[in-house]
Amino acid sequence: MIIKQLSVFLENKTGRLTELTGILADNDINISAFSIADTADYGILRMIVGRPELAAEVLKKNGFTVKITDVVGMIIPHRPGGLHKALQIISDNNVAIDYMYAFASGDCKATVVIRAESLDKIIDVLQGHKMELLKKGDVYQV
Amino acid sequence: MIWNEHYECMEREKLLKLQGIRLKEMVKRVYDTVPYYRKKLQDKGIEPDDIKGMDDLKTLPFTTKQDLRDNYPFGLFAVPQPDIVRFHASSGTTGKPTVVGYTHNDIQMWSEVVARSLTMAGVTKADIIQVAYGYGLFTGGLGLHYGAEKVGASVVPISGGNTKKQLQLIEDFGSTVLACTPSYAAFIGESLVEEKIDPNKIKLKAGVFGAEPWTQEMRMQIEQVLGIKAYDIYGLTEIIGPGVSMECQFQHGMHIFEDHFIPEIINPDTCEVLPYGELGELVFTPATKEAMPLIRYRTRDLTRIHAEKCECGRTLVRMEKCVGRSDDMLIIRGVNVFPSQVESVLLEMSETKPHYLIVVDRENNLDIMEIQVEIEEEFFSDEVKELEGLRQRIKANIASTLGISTSIRLVEPGTIERSMGKAKRVIDKRNLH
Ligand SMILES: [Zn+2]
């Protein structure tokens, strides 16, 4: 249930992100989701990609600062109240979340990527409430 | 081992006498051969016969970098050009370079002091010394080269740069001594780790590093990554090049080769001579130099001199690592800041690399200082609060050391330009406006 997310330190310099997406494209790596947490000087790019280990390797080789982080993907219905219900469960169970971001796919569902201190706990809680979780096979390229 | 016990362990009283004789001879020589000095001495009412010994040193006029510029290129030479066998020059940050000349005897003397220096670092004829200082107008490469040959060591004259080749020769030739700038030594160490070369498989045992200020923390880091003992060598082009002073194995400061380079410490504002142990500007009179003898050359380097006899048996005085060169000193909102202070803060923190760039600018008549710091890859967190926490910690540590507030910019590892020679640490945009 744990998904590997790629985190990249990016200086706010013109073309730096394009350089990165170019490298992933050249290596035939698909990006399923991404978000950027930015400050005045730098950003932290977080991505779910098809082949995280390979992506990390090629990016490092090209001088990027990369880290693989464990996250959980929670699948929710793409309709009003869907996200609220999921978050209610998490907060009722006192699970602290570091950050999250979401992406919707075409099939009336949305996926919320969650990073939390205790991923095992969040998996337990969500599964206990019959919430659907993203599986490796859903995003990883084979 | 001591290369030249006669001079390096001479009784202080005898040494003082020798210095006096050499000083007197030199003043007469420059009076006769360098019009600029003759006038300078006459302006002070000094005739060569007035100089009887070391007690009279303090009456002599100073020489500054500006005097060298004013006499560019050969105005201060005391011998005709045919007697010059070599030139060196140091690049000035502004305007013309500083040019120095050497006679055959000067090169002999220089080789002698570098041989003494290398012997302090334990170098013998059995060693293979990789000279990774730049060869050329810069004194580092050829200075170390000639001294190492005098010792009889096998010299690898690779010069600076081409780090892959440096590593290859360290491995294949089994170099035992590395001579270069400390920032380049740190870079070679970093590359060694990157190339996954086992430090136990290389034979390096000592490093002779100089030509730029470096900190104790940097020494420890270089020693650890390269598995060597790192020695500090000091020198400046105007005096001779590397080999003006050098650390012995006890590393209580650098022994000055006083029989050739007469040191003084002065108050930089009043020019009054300060006693041993007090902090001030280092001044040298290279009394035995033939081509370009200088009277009381002000180095702009701030340090202290200690005269107590060293455990190694040498009687030569020892100078502390320079606090900073007044040329490197930045004045930020009225506070004196040395780049080396920033470096030692960063080296103390495990989360950052000692690669940094200081950018100084002026906004609304207020000096602002930004320090770009490379984050250490393994400490990269993908949470903003962690990285901001790191930024705040660096900021707080810098503020407590420098006494001023700076802005810290975290940059990607490897993006600050690595230096193969002297590292460029400061961009001062205030002069550009
Ligand atoms: Zn000593």
Side-chain angles (χ1 to χ4, degrees), chain B residues 9 59 102 179 219 236 248 365 397 402:
Chain B
C9 304
T59 64
Y102 300 77
R219 186 208 296 267
L236 62 171
C248 67
N365 290 321
N397 290 350
L402 300 189

Side-chain angles (χ1 to χ4, degrees), chain A:
Chain A
M1 292 300 146
I2 285 176
I3 305 288
K4 304 260 178 237
Q5 170 196 264
L6 220 57
S7 308
V8 186
F9 181 82
L10 280 184
E11 270 174 66
N12 291 351
K13 280 194 285 201
T14 321
R16 194 67 177 144
L17 182 57
T18 320
E19 200 181 322
L20 179 142
T21 49
I23 292 165
L24 294 184
D26 289 346
N27 285 277
D28 198 25
I29 293 165
N30 185 39
I31 304 173
S32 301
F34 85 86
S35 87
I36 295 179
D38 66 327
T39 71
D41 301 333
Y42 59 87
I44 300 166
L45 173 67
R46 301 163 184 146
M47 288 183 293
I48 304 294
V49 299
R51 283 175 287 180
E53 268 88 16
L54 175 68
E57 193 191 312
V58 295
L59 289 176
K60 272 186 188 166
K61 211 174 271 170
N62 282 280
F64 284 90
T65 306
V66 186
K67 185 178 166 163
I68 290 182
T69 320
D70 288 343
V71 293
V72 168
M74 171 175 77
I75 298 170
I76 54 172
H78 190 190
R79 62 154 190 263
L83 179 61
H84 175 69
K85 186 185 160 212
L87 293 183
Q88 192 69 59
I89 295 168
I90 292 171
S91 80
D92 288 349
N93 286 276
N94 290 320
V95 184
I97 289 175
D98 293 330
Y99 58 78
M100 58 181 159
Y101 55 99
F103 58 102
S105 41
D107 54 0
C108 296
K109 285 183 175 169
T111 304
V112 181
V113 177
I114 302 174
R115 165 76 193 168
E117 194 110 322
S118 168
L119 287 175
D120 291 340
K121 184 171 177 195
I122 208 165
I123 290 170
D124 274 357
V125 167
L126 292 173
Q127 282 181 330
H129 287 79
K130 302 272 182 300
M131 298 290 294
E132 192 184 346
L133 296 182
L134 198 65
K135 291 185 285 297
K136 284 186 177 139
D138 300 339
V139 282
Y140 292 178
Q141 277 164 270
V142 273

Side-chain angles (χ1 to χ4, degrees), chain B residues 248 250 255 310-314 318:
Chain B
C248 67
F250 295 100
H255 287 287
C310 182
E311 293 157 73
C312 70
R314 291 176 182 85
R318 288 161 288 120

Side-chain angles (χ1 to χ4, degrees), chain B residues 152-202:
Chain B
S154 317
V155 184
V156 184
I158 186 167
S159 191
N162 200 346
T163 309
K164 272 226 155 74
K165 187 78 162 256
Q166 303 276 0
L167 291 173
Q168 190 194 345
L169 298 195
I170 287 173
E171 272 195 291
D172 297 351
F173 287 14
S175 304
T176 54
V177 181
L178 177 67
C180 60
T181 57
S183 55
Y184 193 43
F187 183 63
I188 289 177
E190 212 174 84
S191 309
L192 189 89
V193 174
E194 254 163 44
E195 300 284 325
K196 301 198 171 59
I197 297 170
D198 181 359
N200 295 317
K201 289 226 173 83
I202 61 170

